[in-house]
Amino acid sequence: MDGMSLLTITVLAVFVGFEVVSKVSSTLHTPLMSGANAIHGIILVGAIIVAGQASDPWVLAVALLAVVLATANLVGGFVVTDRMLEMFRGRQRAPSGTDAAGGAGRSGGAAGAGERRP
């Protein structure tokens, strides 16, 4: 294939990928991110293998760049997945005897402004 065909395929893949990803609902985002993280793990292993077998310095530099980018993408995917899962966990209740800020609860006296007595 010539360079223009490869560039055309790359541009079309970017547009199709953007359209597909933008249509995904937030409910499906977390399972899809988990699958994408598995794929990025395979890509990272492949980049490490290529870097280990590179004999030309130029190929080694590109392979090491691929390792760095694949690692950043993999870690970023796990961070995004963790944030999405936090949305579904709900709020944690404070233990009894403490207020919402984590301090000790009031044992008596008048309630301050904006506070309710139990």
Side-chain angles (χ1 to χ4, degrees):
M1 286 186 142
D2 63 334
M4 188 55 100
S5 298
L6 293 174
L7 181 64
T8 303
I9 290 171
T10 302
V11 169
L12 289 174
V14 168
F15 283 128
V16 169
F18 179 76
E19 287 298 318
V20 168
V21 170
S22 66
K23 304 291 188 244
V24 173
S25 69
S26 60
T27 308
L28 292 176
H29 189 269
T30 302
L32 290 175
M33 280 301 296
S34 298
N37 286 342
I39 293 170
H40 290 289
I42 296 169
I43 291 170
L44 179 59
V45 169
I48 291 171
I49 290 171
V50 169
Q53 295 180 352
S55 58
D56 187 27
W58 179 249
V59 174
L60 180 63
V62 172
L64 290 177
L65 178 66
V67 168
V68 169
L69 293 176
T71 303
N73 205 357
L74 183 67
V75 171
F78 281 118
V79 169
V80 169
T81 301
D82 187 52
R83 285 186 181 176
M84 289 294 290
L85 290 174
E86 283 291 324
M87 291 173 42
F88 294 108
R89 287 193 185 126
R91 298 185 187 264
Q92 299 291 330
R93 290 187 171 193
S96 61
T98 61
D99 60 6
R106 295 180 184 244
S107 59
E115 293 183 18
R116 292 189 300 162
R117 294 194 72 155

XYZ file of all heavy atoms in Angstrom:
829
model
N 0.845 -1.184 0.000
C 0.000 0.000 0.000
C 0.886 1.242 0.000
O 1.914 1.269 0.653
C -0.883 0.044 1.233
C -2.023 -0.907 1.249
S -3.043 -0.581 2.713
C -4.621 -0.854 2.018
N 0.420 2.228 -0.688
C 1.171 3.477 -0.694
C 0.798 4.334 0.513
O -0.143 4.020 1.260
C 0.928 4.236 -2.007
C -0.531 4.635 -2.184
O -1.388 3.956 -1.617
O -0.789 5.630 -2.889
N 1.541 5.394 0.729
C 1.359 6.252 1.893
C -0.005 6.923 1.949
O -0.586 7.096 3.027
N -0.520 7.306 0.792
C -1.818 7.997 0.771
C -2.941 7.059 1.200
O -3.858 7.473 1.908
C -2.095 8.546 -0.635
C -3.313 9.426 -0.671
S -3.221 10.781 0.507
C -2.731 12.092 -0.551
N -2.881 5.800 0.806
C -3.900 4.828 1.226
C -3.844 4.600 2.736
O -4.888 4.536 3.404
C -3.707 3.496 0.505
O -3.864 3.660 -0.874
N -2.638 4.477 3.276
C -2.494 4.293 4.723
C -3.005 5.515 5.495
O -3.662 5.370 6.528
C -1.033 4.002 5.077
C -0.480 2.667 4.581
C 1.012 2.574 4.876
C -1.223 1.523 5.224
N -2.714 6.707 4.989
C -3.205 7.926 5.641
C -4.727 8.001 5.584
O -5.378 8.364 6.572
C -2.585 9.151 4.980
C -2.980 10.495 5.580
C -2.486 10.604 7.020
C -2.435 11.629 4.741
N -5.311 7.619 4.450
C -6.774 7.634 4.314
C -7.424 6.655 5.286
O -8.410 6.991 5.953
C -7.176 7.276 2.870
O -6.547 8.190 1.974
C -8.671 7.322 2.697
N -6.868 5.470 5.401
C -7.406 4.470 6.327
C -7.286 4.961 7.769
O -8.221 4.810 8.568
C -6.689 3.120 6.137
C -7.089 2.525 4.792
C -7.017 2.154 7.270
C -6.288 1.309 4.399
N -6.168 5.591 8.110
C -5.977 6.100 9.476
C -6.985 7.193 9.801
O -7.600 7.190 10.878
C -4.542 6.633 9.648
O -3.621 5.588 9.354
C -4.311 7.150 11.051
N -7.189 8.130 8.880
C -8.142 9.223 9.114
C -9.562 8.675 9.243
O -10.322 9.083 10.137
C -8.042 10.274 7.991
C -9.188 11.267 8.062
C -6.711 10.998 8.064
N -9.938 7.736 8.389
C -11.271 7.143 8.489
C -11.449 6.375 9.793
O -12.520 6.424 10.409
C -11.540 6.231 7.291
C -11.755 6.935 5.948
C -11.867 5.910 4.829
C -12.971 7.829 6.001
N -10.398 5.677 10.227
C -10.480 4.941 11.496
C -10.652 5.889 12.671
O -11.393 5.590 13.616
C -9.229 4.092 11.681
N -9.984 7.049 12.619
C -10.146 8.032 13.697
C -11.585 8.543 13.740
O -12.195 8.631 14.813
C -9.145 9.195 13.518
C -9.481 10.358 14.428
C -7.728 8.719 13.783
N -12.149 8.876 12.592
C -13.530 9.377 12.563
C -14.527 8.320 13.026
O -15.425 8.608 13.821
C -13.911 9.868 11.162
C -13.339 11.214 10.826
C -12.631 11.396 9.649
C -13.504 12.282 11.674
C -12.100 12.629 9.339
C -12.978 13.529 11.374
C -12.266 13.704 10.193
N -14.378 7.089 12.560
C -15.286 6.020 12.964
C -15.142 5.733 14.455
O -16.134 5.576 15.176
C -15.043 4.748 12.128
C -15.783 3.553 12.703
C -15.465 4.979 10.689
N -13.906 5.696 14.958
C -13.678 5.465 16.385
C -14.293 6.551 17.247
O -14.904 6.266 18.275
N -14.156 7.805 16.815
C -14.751 8.910 17.582
C -16.265 8.803 17.609
O -16.887 8.992 18.659
C -14.328 10.253 16.970
C -14.915 11.425 17.685
C -14.409 11.838 18.904
C -16.001 12.097 17.154
C -14.966 12.913 19.576
C -16.564 13.164 17.817
C -16.048 13.580 19.026
N -16.866 8.487 16.488
C -18.324 8.367 16.438
C -18.824 7.210 17.298
O -19.831 7.328 17.985
C -18.800 8.189 14.993
C -18.715 9.442 14.175
C -19.598 10.544 14.717
O -20.750 10.267 15.119
O -19.136 11.691 14.751
N -18.122 6.090 17.272
C -18.549 4.934 18.060
C -18.421 5.220 19.546
O -19.332 4.960 20.336
C -17.735 3.678 17.664
C -17.949 2.552 18.653
C -18.113 3.231 16.267
N -17.293 5.791 19.961
C -17.060 6.048 21.378
C -17.998 7.137 21.903
O -18.481 7.060 23.037
C -15.579 6.420 21.620
C -15.355 6.938 23.021
C -14.693 5.221 21.353
N -18.291 8.134 21.103
C -19.168 9.213 21.574
C -20.613 8.750 21.771
O -21.371 9.388 22.494
C -19.124 10.398 20.614
O -19.687 10.037 19.373
N -21.001 7.649 21.157
C -22.379 7.142 21.287
C -22.549 6.155 22.442
O -23.644 5.677 22.678
C -22.812 6.452 19.992
C -22.701 7.317 18.755
C -23.698 8.440 18.754
C -23.677 9.161 17.428
N -23.271 10.518 17.477
N -21.476 5.829 23.160
C -21.555 4.853 24.247
C -22.175 5.517 25.476
O -21.757 6.590 25.896
C -20.152 4.299 24.584
C -20.190 3.423 25.826
C -19.596 3.528 23.415
N -23.176 4.874 26.063
C -23.809 5.427 27.266
C -22.899 5.213 28.471
O -21.999 4.377 28.468
C -25.162 4.758 27.512
O -24.962 3.412 27.880
N -23.119 5.984 29.516
C -22.270 5.878 30.711
C -22.432 4.528 31.408
O -21.524 4.066 32.086
C -22.585 7.015 31.680
O -23.940 6.948 32.080
N -23.555 3.874 31.223
C -23.766 2.557 31.830
C -22.844 1.505 31.223
O -22.353 0.622 31.912
C -25.230 2.121 31.642
O -26.090 3.153 32.105
C -25.516 0.844 32.382
N -22.587 1.622 29.940
C -21.730 0.656 29.259
C -20.252 1.036 29.296
O -19.407 0.258 28.872
C -22.169 0.512 27.800
C -23.518 -0.134 27.565
C -23.854 -0.107 26.085
C -23.501 -1.558 28.072
N -19.943 2.229 29.759
C -18.567 2.710 29.698
C -17.616 1.848 30.518
O -16.527 1.506 30.060
C -18.504 4.167 30.161
C -17.185 4.792 29.927
N -16.191 4.774 30.864
C -16.683 5.441 28.853
C -15.137 5.393 30.382
N -15.403 5.814 29.166
N -17.993 1.489 31.738
C -17.095 0.728 32.609
C -16.781 -0.659 32.059
O -15.606 -1.033 32.013
C -17.693 0.634 34.027
O -17.898 1.960 34.513
C -16.766 -0.097 34.961
N -17.757 -1.447 31.595
C -17.388 -2.747 31.015
C -16.529 -2.614 29.758
O -15.612 -3.403 29.540
C -18.727 -3.400 30.678
C -19.741 -2.677 31.470
C -19.211 -1.312 31.711
N -16.796 -1.604 28.946
C -15.982 -1.413 27.749
C -14.564 -0.992 28.102
O -13.606 -1.397 27.445
C -16.636 -0.387 26.823
C -17.907 -0.856 26.141
C -18.533 0.279 25.339
C -17.634 -2.039 25.247
N -14.406 -0.179 29.143
C -13.061 0.217 29.575
C -12.295 -0.986 30.103
O -11.082 -1.088 29.899
C -13.138 1.301 30.652
C -13.391 2.684 30.118
S -12.140 3.255 28.968
C -10.710 3.303 30.009
N -12.963 -1.894 30.775
C -12.286 -3.087 31.270
C -11.773 -3.933 30.108
O -10.648 -4.443 30.142
C -13.230 -3.916 32.136
O -13.629 -3.180 33.258
N -12.569 -4.066 29.072
C -12.122 -4.794 27.884
C -10.986 -4.087 27.176
O -10.030 -4.719 26.708
N -11.064 -2.765 27.105
C -9.988 -1.999 26.471
C -8.696 -2.112 27.275
O -7.606 -2.154 26.697
C -10.402 -0.541 26.334
N -8.805 -2.173 28.596
C -7.600 -2.338 29.417
C -6.935 -3.672 29.147
O -5.701 -3.769 29.127
C -7.939 -2.213 30.899
C -8.210 -0.790 31.306
O -7.835 0.141 30.610
N -8.867 -0.624 32.424
N -7.708 -4.716 28.921
C -7.123 -6.016 28.591
C -6.394 -5.951 27.249
O -5.287 -6.489 27.105
C -8.216 -7.082 28.556
N -6.976 -5.271 26.287
C -6.329 -5.125 24.984
C -5.050 -4.308 25.114
O -4.018 -4.639 24.512
C -7.307 -4.492 23.975
C -8.451 -5.461 23.685
C -6.593 -4.098 22.693
C -9.582 -4.850 22.908
N -5.083 -3.251 25.915
C -3.879 -2.429 26.091
C -2.785 -3.193 26.819
O -1.598 -2.944 26.594
C -4.212 -1.132 26.816
C -5.017 -0.198 25.985
N -4.505 0.470 24.903
C -6.311 0.167 26.047
C -5.441 1.208 24.341
N -6.555 1.035 25.020
N -3.159 -4.126 27.669
C -2.157 -4.975 28.315
C -1.448 -5.849 27.292
O -0.224 -6.043 27.351
N -2.198 -6.374 26.323
C -1.596 -7.180 25.255
C -0.687 -6.317 24.389
O 0.411 -6.732 23.995
C -2.698 -7.858 24.416
C -3.474 -8.851 25.287
C -2.119 -8.535 23.186
C -4.733 -9.367 24.642
N -1.114 -5.085 24.109
C -0.293 -4.165 23.320
C 1.006 -3.853 24.053
O 2.085 -3.790 23.451
C -1.083 -2.879 23.007
C -2.216 -3.189 22.041
C -0.176 -1.794 22.449
C -3.194 -2.058 21.851
N 0.925 -3.674 25.372
C 2.127 -3.402 26.159
C 3.100 -4.568 26.103
O 4.308 -4.379 25.931
C 1.750 -3.083 27.609
C 2.896 -2.802 28.575
C 3.714 -1.620 28.106
C 2.360 -2.575 29.965
N 2.596 -5.789 26.215
C 3.469 -6.968 26.131
C 4.127 -7.035 24.744
O 5.332 -7.308 24.621
C 2.670 -8.256 26.433
C 3.478 -9.497 26.095
C 2.253 -8.276 27.889
N 3.366 -6.764 23.692
C 3.928 -6.759 22.340
C 5.002 -5.701 22.165
O 6.041 -5.950 21.538
N 4.789 -4.520 22.725
C 5.787 -3.452 22.625
C 7.062 -3.822 23.380
O 8.173 -3.521 22.924
C 5.205 -2.146 23.165
N 6.916 -4.493 24.509
C 8.097 -4.934 25.266
C 8.864 -5.991 24.484
O 10.108 -5.969 24.438
C 7.678 -5.451 26.656
C 7.186 -4.296 27.520
C 8.828 -6.169 27.344
C 6.549 -4.721 28.829
N 8.162 -6.900 23.832
C 8.818 -7.932 23.027
C 9.576 -7.299 21.863
O 10.728 -7.655 21.571
C 7.795 -8.976 22.539
C 7.304 -9.803 23.722
C 8.390 -9.870 21.458
C 6.147 -10.717 23.387
N 8.950 -6.353 21.186
C 9.614 -5.677 20.070
C 10.844 -4.909 20.567
O 11.900 -4.934 19.931
C 8.634 -4.741 19.330
C 9.356 -3.842 18.346
C 7.573 -5.550 18.622
N 10.724 -4.237 21.709
C 11.872 -3.496 22.249
C 13.005 -4.443 22.628
O 14.183 -4.104 22.461
C 11.440 -2.675 23.463
N 12.679 -5.617 23.101
C 13.704 -6.574 23.487
C 14.431 -7.184 22.304
O 15.583 -7.611 22.427
N 13.793 -7.244 21.152
C 14.401 -7.860 19.973
C 14.910 -6.840 18.962
O 15.362 -7.211 17.888
C 13.391 -8.780 19.302
C 12.996 -9.951 20.161
C 11.993 -10.855 19.478
O 11.477 -10.547 18.411
N 11.720 -11.987 20.109
N 14.833 -5.558 19.295
C 15.257 -4.518 18.346
C 16.776 -4.501 18.221
O 17.501 -4.543 19.214
C 14.753 -3.158 18.809
N 17.261 -4.444 16.978
C 18.701 -4.370 16.748
C 19.112 -2.984 16.255
O 20.226 -2.534 16.496
C 19.129 -5.433 15.731
O 18.420 -5.245 14.519
N 18.226 -2.298 15.579
C 18.490 -0.953 15.074
C 18.126 0.065 16.164
O 17.079 -0.053 16.808
C 17.649 -0.726 13.818
C 17.971 0.578 13.124
O 19.110 1.051 13.274
O 17.079 1.102 12.415
N 18.974 1.085 16.395
C 18.651 2.080 17.437
C 17.343 2.831 17.172
O 16.631 3.180 18.110
C 19.836 3.041 17.414
C 20.926 2.326 16.727
C 20.295 1.309 15.831
N 17.009 3.063 15.902
C 15.771 3.760 15.572
C 14.549 2.914 15.957
O 13.585 3.419 16.520
C 15.761 4.087 14.088
C 14.523 4.795 13.635
C 13.549 4.284 12.836
C 14.110 6.114 13.972
N 12.553 5.203 12.652
C 12.879 6.348 13.341
C 14.651 7.123 14.746
C 12.187 7.533 13.468
C 13.956 8.317 14.862
C 12.748 8.515 14.235
N 14.601 1.621 15.684
C 13.518 0.720 16.036
C 13.397 0.617 17.563
O 12.291 0.598 18.115
C 13.730 -0.677 15.403
C 12.690 -1.669 15.893
C 13.710 -0.582 13.898
N 14.537 0.595 18.243
C 14.522 0.543 19.705
C 13.882 1.793 20.297
O 13.085 1.710 21.234
C 15.942 0.365 20.246
C 16.078 0.304 21.767
C 15.331 -0.902 22.319
C 17.537 0.278 22.163
N 14.193 2.960 19.734
C 13.614 4.212 20.231
C 12.097 4.234 20.041
O 11.347 4.617 20.949
C 14.266 5.402 19.534
N 11.640 3.796 18.867
C 10.191 3.774 18.609
C 9.510 2.737 19.506
O 8.415 2.978 20.035
C 9.919 3.500 17.110
C 8.439 3.275 16.858
C 10.423 4.652 16.266
N 10.161 1.590 19.719
C 9.583 0.549 20.575
C 9.501 1.024 22.026
O 8.511 0.760 22.715
C 10.406 -0.727 20.478
N 10.527 1.713 22.495
C 10.478 2.233 23.866
C 9.415 3.319 24.015
O 8.749 3.403 25.048
C 11.850 2.757 24.287
C 12.916 1.677 24.492
C 14.261 2.315 24.839
C 12.503 0.700 25.563
N 9.239 4.139 22.972
C 8.148 5.120 22.992
C 6.798 4.408 23.044
O 5.884 4.829 23.768
C 8.230 6.027 21.767
C 7.124 7.074 21.640
C 7.235 8.093 22.774
C 7.197 7.745 20.289
N 6.678 3.299 22.296
C 5.437 2.514 22.326
C 5.194 1.930 23.714
O 4.053 1.892 24.190
C 5.490 1.402 21.283
N 6.256 1.494 24.394
C 6.111 0.954 25.756
C 5.614 2.050 26.695
O 4.695 1.832 27.505
C 7.445 0.356 26.254
C 7.386 0.058 27.738
C 7.778 -0.899 25.479
N 6.195 3.243 26.591
C 5.787 4.344 27.470
C 4.332 4.740 27.209
O 3.541 4.904 28.149
C 6.729 5.557 27.286
C 6.189 6.790 27.976
C 8.118 5.227 27.803
N 3.971 4.881 25.950
C 2.596 5.285 25.627
C 1.587 4.204 25.995
O 0.493 4.516 26.490
C 2.494 5.633 24.140
C 3.260 6.884 23.700
C 3.161 7.062 22.197
C 2.761 8.111 24.432
N 1.924 2.939 25.768
C 1.009 1.856 26.135
C 0.840 1.776 27.642
O -0.263 1.524 28.147
C 1.520 0.529 25.581
N 1.934 2.013 28.379
C 1.836 2.012 29.848
C 0.950 3.146 30.337
O 0.098 2.955 31.209
C 3.239 2.121 30.471
O 4.038 1.042 29.992
C 3.168 2.083 31.978
N 1.150 4.345 29.767
C 0.319 5.490 30.162
C -1.152 5.234 29.836
O -2.045 5.561 30.632
C 0.805 6.748 29.463
N -1.418 4.630 28.699
C -2.796 4.335 28.308
C -3.414 3.283 29.214
O -4.583 3.388 29.606
C -2.820 3.872 26.853
C -4.150 4.120 26.194
O -5.088 4.587 26.817
N -4.221 3.811 24.923
N -2.639 2.279 29.577
C -3.138 1.221 30.460
C -3.450 1.769 31.851
O -4.527 1.525 32.406
C -2.107 0.094 30.539
C -2.490 -1.123 31.360
C -3.636 -1.856 30.699
C -1.298 -2.039 31.509
N -2.532 2.539 32.408
C -2.749 3.108 33.747
C -3.907 4.094 33.721
O -4.760 4.095 34.616
C -1.451 3.774 34.260
C -1.696 4.563 35.523
C -0.380 2.721 34.492
N -3.972 4.919 32.684
C -5.085 5.859 32.563
C -6.423 5.161 32.455
O -7.427 5.612 33.009
N -6.458 4.035 31.759
C -7.706 3.275 31.652
C -8.158 2.741 32.991
O -9.347 2.761 33.312
N -7.207 2.265 33.804
C -7.578 1.786 35.132
C -8.048 2.926 36.032
O -8.966 2.751 36.835
C -6.419 1.036 35.781
C -6.272 -0.368 35.286
C -5.116 -0.765 34.627
C -7.276 -1.292 35.457
C -4.973 -2.060 34.162
C -7.153 -2.592 34.996
C -5.995 -2.967 34.346
N -7.446 4.100 35.903
C -7.870 5.252 36.706
C -9.293 5.661 36.323
O -10.127 5.916 37.199
C -6.881 6.424 36.528
C -7.428 7.708 37.119
C -5.543 6.093 37.155
N -9.568 5.710 35.030
C -10.913 6.082 34.584
C -11.937 5.040 35.027
O -13.032 5.374 35.487
C -10.941 6.267 33.051
C -12.358 6.377 32.533
C -10.151 7.486 32.660
N -11.581 3.756 34.930
C -12.493 2.698 35.369
C -12.769 2.806 36.856
O -13.913 2.656 37.307
C -11.901 1.313 35.041
O -11.683 1.232 33.632
C -12.839 0.200 35.467
N -11.748 3.104 37.645
C -11.937 3.256 39.083
C -12.850 4.434 39.399
O -13.721 4.342 40.264
C -10.584 3.431 39.770
C -10.705 3.426 41.277
O -11.314 2.476 41.811
O -10.196 4.370 41.923
N -12.685 5.529 38.677
C -13.569 6.685 38.894
C -15.005 6.365 38.515
O -15.943 6.796 39.183
C -13.072 7.885 38.099
C -11.864 8.525 38.686
C -11.517 9.766 37.934
N -10.318 10.383 38.480
C -9.751 11.432 37.967
N -10.254 12.008 36.892
N -8.671 11.940 38.519
N -15.192 5.625 37.432
C -16.540 5.261 37.030
C -17.190 4.342 38.071
O -18.371 4.473 38.381
C -16.528 4.565 35.667
C -16.218 5.467 34.502
S -17.476 6.697 34.211
C -18.805 5.680 33.616
N -16.415 3.405 38.618
C -16.966 2.516 39.639
C -17.299 3.265 40.918
O -18.217 2.886 41.636
C -15.984 1.377 39.920
C -15.839 0.357 38.792
C -14.739 -0.645 39.124
C -17.149 -0.350 38.535
N -16.560 4.330 41.222
C -16.875 5.155 42.394
C -18.268 5.769 42.277
O -18.945 5.958 43.272
C -15.839 6.273 42.555
C -14.522 5.826 43.135
C -14.635 5.435 44.593
O -15.407 6.066 45.330
O -13.949 4.478 44.971
N -18.705 6.061 41.062
C -20.025 6.656 40.874
C -21.133 5.684 41.269
O -22.204 6.099 41.691
C -20.216 7.067 39.412
C -19.357 8.225 38.993
S -19.430 8.584 37.228
C -21.139 8.435 36.845
N -20.888 4.390 41.140
C -21.919 3.400 41.428
C -21.887 2.917 42.876
O -22.777 2.200 43.285
C -21.766 2.206 40.485
C -22.024 2.552 39.053
C -20.973 2.620 38.153
C -23.297 2.832 38.604
C -21.198 2.945 36.828
C -23.531 3.157 37.292
C -22.480 3.217 36.398
N -20.875 3.260 43.633
C -20.771 2.774 45.008
C -21.677 3.516 45.975
O -22.069 2.983 46.978
C -19.318 2.880 45.485
C -18.442 1.848 44.851
C -17.113 1.748 45.545
N -16.285 0.810 44.808
C -15.090 1.062 44.354
N -14.536 2.237 44.597
N -14.413 0.168 43.678
N -21.987 4.748 45.720
C -22.815 5.520 46.631
C -21.987 6.158 47.725
O -20.777 5.995 47.814
N -22.652 6.886 48.576
C -21.952 7.596 49.653
C -21.782 6.684 50.861
O -22.669 5.927 51.215
C -22.727 8.836 50.053
C -22.848 9.828 48.923
C -23.516 11.093 49.423
N -23.783 11.988 48.335
C -22.985 12.972 47.992
N -21.871 13.170 48.648
N -23.289 13.766 46.994
N -20.643 6.827 51.528
C -20.372 6.079 52.750
C -20.953 6.849 53.928
O -20.837 8.069 53.999
C -18.868 5.900 52.950
C -18.204 5.133 51.827
C -18.613 3.686 51.826
O -18.915 3.116 52.867
N -18.655 3.081 50.649
N -21.575 6.156 54.866
C -22.111 6.800 56.057
C -21.022 6.953 57.093
O -20.155 6.100 57.230
C -23.235 5.978 56.654
C -24.467 5.990 55.807
C -25.565 5.317 56.545
N -26.809 5.509 55.832
C -27.967 5.259 56.345
N -28.055 4.796 57.576
N -29.058 5.460 55.662
N -21.083 8.049 57.836
C -20.132 8.269 58.916
C -20.476 7.323 60.070
O -21.652 7.058 60.335
C -20.194 9.718 59.385
N -19.474 6.801 60.765
C -19.762 5.931 61.918
C -20.528 6.698 62.990
O -20.400 7.905 63.110
C -18.386 5.527 62.436
C -17.423 5.879 61.356
C -18.065 6.932 60.516
N -21.335 5.996 63.776
C -22.125 6.660 64.808
C -21.196 7.279 65.838
O -20.148 6.741 66.175
C -23.064 5.663 65.480
O -22.307 4.629 66.094
N -21.564 8.457 66.333
C -20.746 9.161 67.314
C -19.816 10.171 66.672
O -19.104 10.869 67.357
N -19.812 10.246 65.351
C -18.992 11.245 64.679
C -19.867 12.049 63.749
O -20.895 11.594 63.280
C -17.857 10.589 63.871
O -18.440 9.742 62.887
C -16.930 9.785 64.754
N -19.437 13.259 63.490
C -20.180 14.073 62.549
C -19.638 13.825 61.141
O -18.749 13.020 60.935
C -20.122 15.558 62.922
C -18.703 16.101 62.951
O -17.779 15.358 62.572
O -18.523 17.262 63.346
N -20.169 14.534 60.160
C -19.781 14.303 58.772
C -18.327 14.661 58.516
O -17.708 14.145 57.608
C -20.689 15.113 57.834
N -17.749 15.559 59.329
C -16.363 15.964 59.128
C -15.396 14.998 59.782
O -14.196 15.160 59.692
C -16.146 17.377 59.670
N -15.869 14.011 60.486
C -15.004 13.015 61.095
C -14.663 13.305 62.545
O -13.956 12.546 63.173
N -15.155 14.408 63.095
C -14.879 14.750 64.486
C -15.847 14.069 65.421
O -16.768 13.367 65.019
N -15.644 14.265 66.691
C -16.533 13.655 67.681
C -17.874 14.364 67.670
O -17.963 15.561 67.477
C -15.910 13.743 69.072
N -18.921 13.626 67.888
C -20.264 14.196 67.919
C -20.503 14.938 69.219
O -19.801 14.775 70.209
N -21.498 15.787 69.222
C -21.827 16.547 70.423
C -22.592 15.666 71.388
O -23.514 14.971 71.007
C -22.677 17.761 70.058
C -21.924 18.749 69.214
C -22.850 19.908 68.896
N -22.176 20.814 68.020
C -21.864 22.056 68.341
N -22.176 22.513 69.527
N -21.252 22.821 67.493
N -22.202 15.734 72.635
C -22.897 14.915 73.631
C -24.002 15.687 74.320
O -24.813 15.106 75.011
C -21.884 14.402 74.673
O -21.260 15.505 75.299
N -24.035 16.951 74.158
C -25.088 17.724 74.807
C -24.984 19.171 74.399
O -24.208 19.539 73.532
N -25.758 20.021 75.051
C -25.707 21.448 74.740
C -26.623 21.765 73.588
O -27.240 20.911 72.980
N -26.689 23.049 73.284
C -27.558 23.514 72.223
C -26.930 23.214 70.866
O -25.719 23.265 70.717
C -27.794 25.019 72.365
N -27.785 22.934 69.924
C -27.282 22.684 68.568
C -26.856 24.007 67.964
O -27.489 25.034 68.171
C -28.382 22.036 67.713
N -25.738 23.985 67.218
C -25.246 25.194 66.572
C -26.104 25.545 65.376
O -27.071 24.871 65.041
N -25.738 26.635 64.727
C -26.496 27.096 63.575
C -26.417 26.043 62.466
O -25.352 25.594 62.102
C -25.920 28.428 63.079
N -27.540 25.650 61.942
C -27.591 24.690 60.852
C -27.484 23.237 61.295
O -27.459 22.355 60.468
N -27.407 22.975 62.571
C -27.290 21.595 63.054
C -28.639 21.126 63.576
O -29.414 21.898 64.106
C -26.271 21.491 64.191
C -24.863 21.761 63.749
C -23.878 21.565 64.894
O -24.247 20.902 65.888
O -22.763 22.067 64.806
N -28.913 19.858 63.434
C -30.129 19.273 63.977
C -29.756 18.365 65.125
O -28.757 17.669 65.072
C -30.862 18.470 62.913
C -31.435 19.336 61.823
C -32.321 18.540 60.919
N -31.537 17.456 60.307
C -32.080 16.390 59.746
N -33.384 16.242 59.727
N -31.336 15.476 59.200
N -30.557 18.328 66.120
C -30.332 17.427 67.250
C -30.983 16.095 66.952
O -32.067 16.049 66.397
C -30.931 18.021 68.514
C -30.184 19.300 68.916
C -30.539 19.664 70.262
N -29.885 18.692 71.147
C -29.571 18.952 72.393
N -29.873 20.103 72.890
N -28.990 18.079 73.128
N -30.347 15.007 67.329
C -30.933 13.685 67.091
C -32.148 13.401 67.923
O -32.434 13.943 68.906
C -29.812 12.711 67.429
C -28.724 13.482 68.069
C -29.018 14.929 67.892
